[in-house]
Amino acid sequence: MAPDEAVIGCTGKLVLATRGTAGPGEALVQVRGGWEAFLAWSDEPIPYGVTVLVIDSRGARQVDVVKWTDPVDPLDALTLDPGDAD
């Protein structure tokens, strides 16, 4: 089956941890206006619940992923402590 290029660059969440070279996990990837399940392969193990970035498609609903940290998320750390509000 041909690679699914639409999924490359999309993010998702692992619903089953990857095991690195020992085997895939499963990711729900946000693509085409919804969420789709893919077998997720990675070079290193990635735990359940981690956000991932799809870096390649193997076709047949299989993707290569890496751990992803959204560069905007650190802004959430800037929220004020409720005790600081005056």
Side-chain angles (χ1 to χ4, degrees):
M1 179 173 247
D4 182 356
E5 293 186 13
V7 76
I8 298 170
C10 294
T11 58
K13 290 272 189 191
L14 287 182
V15 294
L16 182 63
T18 67
R19 297 178 288 146
T21 57
E26 184 176 356
L28 287 179
V29 178
Q30 193 169 13
V31 62
R32 292 182 272 271
W35 293 88
E36 297 181 22
F38 292 84
L39 285 179
W41 294 86
S42 62
D43 290 337
E44 300 294 325
I46 304 174
Y48 162 83
V50 169
T51 300
V52 292
L53 174 68
V54 177
I55 58 170
D56 200 6
S57 171
R58 296 182 176 203
R61 302 200 62 81
Q62 297 185 60
V63 294
D64 292 324
V65 298
V66 294
K67 186 176 176 181
W68 173 252
T69 302
D70 189 333
V72 177
D73 280 347
L75 296 177
D76 291 337
L78 297 176
T79 58
L80 293 174
D81 181 337
D84 291 342
D86 289 326

